Amino acid sequence: MDSEYAHLFANNFPPNLLLSRIGLSNLLSYMGTGQGSGTKRFLSNLATNRPNKFFFSSLSDITQVFEVAFQRNVTTYGHSLNRGYLAKAAAGCFDICVWGQPNKILGLQPDGRDNDAGVRAKFEPYWAETVQEAWSNFLGPLLDGDLTTILPEQKRAWKDAYNFLIGLQIFGFESGLTVFQCANNLSLAGLCHQPTVKDVAQWMSFSSGKHLGAQKALYGPLGFQADGTPTQSIYAIFYGLWKYLDIHLTDQDKADLGFGAMFLEHVLCKVERYDKRWPGEFLERSKNVEKENRPWIPGENTTNGDAFPFPLTIDRQAFQEILDSIKNN
C-alpha cells in the first residue's frame, strides 16, 4: 500500500529485526504511541541518532529515549502525557490522533487516563517476557532469520497474525484500528501475507470496525443499501468495489497504489472526511464531474493527468454482475 504512513513505517522501522525475540515489543511500542505523520520529527531524530532508528534493545532503552523527548515537551507546553498538541511539539514522541479521532490510549499513559504512572509503565506490557516468548513461538523457525529470504509458503496468513495479536490481550490491542493496522504492518514488512478482501470485510463487519470510517463511507456518502446480515452485506459491497477497481485500474495503477484490500479500506476511511470538506452531495458531485469530462477511456490516465483511472459512477447492471459472480465462486 502506497501512503505516507506506509512510507514512514518502512523507512523508520527495520523490518528484518521483527524476526528477533524483541521484534514485536518494538512494533507494539511503535503502534501504541501512534507513530506516523504527527511524529515525523521525532522519527527523523531517531533515524539521525540511532543506527536502528525506531528499534530499541530493551525496556530501559526505550523508556530513556521517550522520557527525554517527553521532558522537552513538558518544558515547552506544561505537564500532560496525553494532550494532542504535545505530539506536534519540538520532539513530539506520540500522537493520539494518528487514526484521525483522538484516542488517549495512544498517549504515554498505560491506561489512557491522566494519572501519572510514568513513561516506563506505558511500555512494560509491550516488553513483558510473556509477550516475547509468545512472539518467539509464533515465529517458530523464522526466529532470528532474514525477511529477504522468506519464501511465500513460509509466510503466515494475515488472519493468523491478527488473531495472534488479539490473543495477547494487551490493553489497546484487544480490538479496533490499532491492532488492525499492527497486523497490516506485519504484512507490509513481509512477515505475513496481505489481508484478503474477505479478511478486511469481516473485520469491518465485526464490532471492531463497524463504527469506523470505512463502513460509514459505504452506507453514508457512497449510498449503498444492502439486505442480509452485516457480514454478508459488507463483504458483498466491499468485494464489489474491490473488483470494480480491479477491472478498471491498469497494472501500472495497481503497482503505483499498492492496490489491494488494505488500500481500499484506507481509501474508504477518507471518504467521509472529504465529503464533509466539499460542499454539496457526494454522489451528485461524482456524477457531475464525470459529465463534465468526455467518456472514460481505459488507461488514458497514464498519459493524461486530467483523466480518471476508473469511471466515477458505477453502472447498476455492471455492479450486479460483479455481485452475481460472488455466488458462482
Side-chain angles (χ1 to χ4, degrees), residues 41-282:
R41 188 175 298 179
F42 174 67
L43 291 172
S44 178
N45 289 340
L46 291 181
T48 300
N49 298 305
R50 298 178 62 91
N52 288 328
K53 304 178 183 179
F54 195 104
F55 199 92
F56 302 88
S57 60
S58 65
L59 173 60
S60 297
D61 184 22
I62 191 171
T63 298
Q64 181 181 21
V65 169
F66 271 79
E67 281 182 341
V68 170
F70 173 66
Q71 287 304 322
R72 289 175 182 168
N73 290 343
V74 170
T75 300
T76 305
Y77 292 98
H79 185 71
S80 173
L81 288 172
N82 283 319
R83 289 181 189 169
Y85 57 62
L86 284 181
K88 300 175 177 61
C93 54
F94 65 91
D95 185 4
I96 65 173
C97 297
V98 65
W99 310 132
Q101 295 298 317
N103 184 351
K104 285 188 174 183
I105 293 173
L106 300 175
L108 291 184
Q109 284 293 4
D111 58 2
R113 299 174 183 173
D114 288 330
N115 53 309
D116 188 358
V119 173
R120 184 183 179 92
K122 165 70 179 182
F123 296 104
E124 282 178 339
Y126 308 154
W127 288 80
E129 281 293 321
T130 52
V131 170
Q132 295 176 4
E133 183 66 21
W135 181 240
S136 298
N137 292 334
F138 179 81
L139 291 176
L142 298 179
L143 181 64
D144 295 326
D146 185 350
L147 273 174
T148 62
T149 63
I150 292 181
L151 300 174
E153 57 268 25
Q154 292 179 295
K155 293 184 179 183
R156 302 289 290 267
W158 178 91
K159 194 171 184 178
D160 290 342
Y162 176 77
N163 288 335
F164 167 77
L165 293 169
I166 293 289
L168 294 174
Q169 286 297 289
I170 296 174
F171 184 72
F173 290 85
E174 307 103 317
S175 64
L177 195 52
T178 301
V179 68
F180 173 74
Q181 296 292 4
C182 192
N184 286 348
N185 279 344
L186 289 175
S187 175
L188 292 173
L191 182 57
C192 62
H193 291 288
Q194 297 244 345
T196 65
V197 171
K198 187 174 183 179
D199 288 335
V200 176
Q202 284 184 334
W203 176 80
M204 288 171 58
S205 66
F206 295 154
S207 59
S208 59
K210 67 181 182 180
H211 300 300
L212 301 176
Q215 186 173 150
K216 288 182 178 179
L218 298 181
Y219 294 128
L222 295 182
F224 282 100
Q225 297 179 2
D227 299 323
T229 66
T231 301
Q232 292 172 329
S233 301
I234 291 293
Y235 176 67
I237 298 170
F238 190 76
Y239 174 84
L241 286 174
W242 172 83
K243 190 64 178 177
Y244 180 80
L245 294 176
D246 186 51
I247 291 171
H248 291 95
L249 291 173
T250 66
D251 290 341
Q252 187 59 53
D253 289 334
K254 294 174 185 177
D256 290 342
L257 295 171
F259 177 69
M262 272 196 296
F263 164 80
L264 181 54
E265 189 276 337
H266 182 71
V267 170
L268 289 174
C269 280
K270 305 297 181 288
V271 169
E272 191 174 36
R273 181 186 307 176
Y274 285 104
D275 182 49
K276 292 178 180 178
R277 289 182 180 179
W278 295 333
E281 205 275 330
F282 191 84

Side-chain angles (χ1 to χ4, degrees), residues 299-313:
E300 184 185 15
N301 63 293
T302 59
T303 56
N304 178 5
D306 293 327
F308 289 96
F310 54 86
L312 294 182
T313 54

